[in-house]
Amino acid sequence: MEDLIKKVSYLKGYADGLDISPKSDEGKLIIKLLGVLGEMADAIEELTDRVDDVEDVVDELDECVLTIADDMYGDDKYDDYYDDEDGDDDFMDDYDDDYDSDGDDYFEIQCPNCGEDVMIDFDMIDDDNAIVCPNCHEEIELEFECDCDGDDCGHEHE
């Protein structure tokens, strides 16, 4: 960017060295063009500085989003499966297998609103908080049927 400002300054000095008359029509035009070039160089420098500032803010926001994602999903294991590099949908199957083999209690349901598969932790069911689809952001209501044979299981029976 400094090169552009230096080049405009050089052209202004060169025009002064040529002794261009500000009284001739050509001289007036050249002097005005050099003035406009100087203003454009200054405006471009200011815009470049502002773009650099915006890039810094975007980088900070990106870091915040990654931190929030790590907080939400709890560990980096999810990140390995989130990047579906080969374009197939089998990466979630690997994710399910890892959590089953680790003893964690995750299962997959289909969102009734958008149809996307959502990973649910049994602890999420026990909480009083609503389960929200990460895709459509709609609340997912779960209905359970009790398979027990008695009334002393603690579940409500119809």
Side-chain angles (χ1 to χ4, degrees):
M1 184 53 45
E2 292 178 22
D3 290 339
L4 184 59
I5 294 173
K6 286 180 183 178
K7 288 177 183 178
V8 172
S9 294
Y10 171 78
L11 288 175
K12 285 181 179 180
Y14 189 69
D16 288 342
L18 290 177
D19 227 7
I20 296 176
S21 172
K23 295 183 181 189
S24 71
D25 290 339
E26 294 86 6
K28 290 178 186 177
L29 178 64
I30 290 173
I31 291 171
K32 290 208 182 260
L33 285 173
L34 291 173
V36 169
L37 280 175
E39 290 175 19
M40 290 174 62
D42 291 340
I44 291 172
E45 181 180 32
E46 182 182 333
L47 288 173
T48 301
D49 291 342
R50 292 175 79 183
V51 166
D52 290 342
D53 291 343
V54 168
E55 285 177 344
D56 291 342
V57 170
V58 168
D59 289 342
E60 288 178 28
L61 288 173
D62 186 43
E63 290 176 22
C64 290
V65 167
L66 290 174
T67 301
I68 290 169
D70 285 343
D71 289 346
M72 284 181 62
Y73 297 113
D75 62 16
D76 295 333
K77 183 185 291 188
Y78 185 77
D79 294 340
D80 296 338
Y81 298 104
Y82 191 75
D83 298 327
D84 185 20
E85 294 174 10
D86 58 356
D88 65 2
D89 293 329
D90 294 335
F91 73 100
M92 284 306 290
D93 294 336
D94 296 336
Y95 181 70
D96 293 339
D97 293 342
D98 280 349
Y99 271 100
D100 290 341
S101 65
D102 290 342
D104 293 335
D105 297 323
Y106 285 87
F107 64 97
E108 186 176 302
I109 63 169
Q110 188 175 40
C111 175
N113 301 307
C114 67
E116 288 292 318
D117 292 335
V118 179
M119 296 300 296
I120 303 292
D121 180 355
F122 281 110
D123 293 337
M124 294 168 74
I125 296 170
D126 294 337
D127 293 343
D128 290 335
N129 298 332
I131 297 173
V132 177
C133 176
N135 186 46
C136 67
H137 307 290
E138 294 291 325
E139 188 173 318
I140 300 173
E141 293 186 30
L142 299 177
E143 296 179 16
F144 295 98
E145 294 180 17
C146 182
D147 293 337
C148 61
D149 291 329
D151 290 333
D152 49 330
C153 67
H155 298 113
E156 294 182 23
H157 294 104
E158 295 181 11

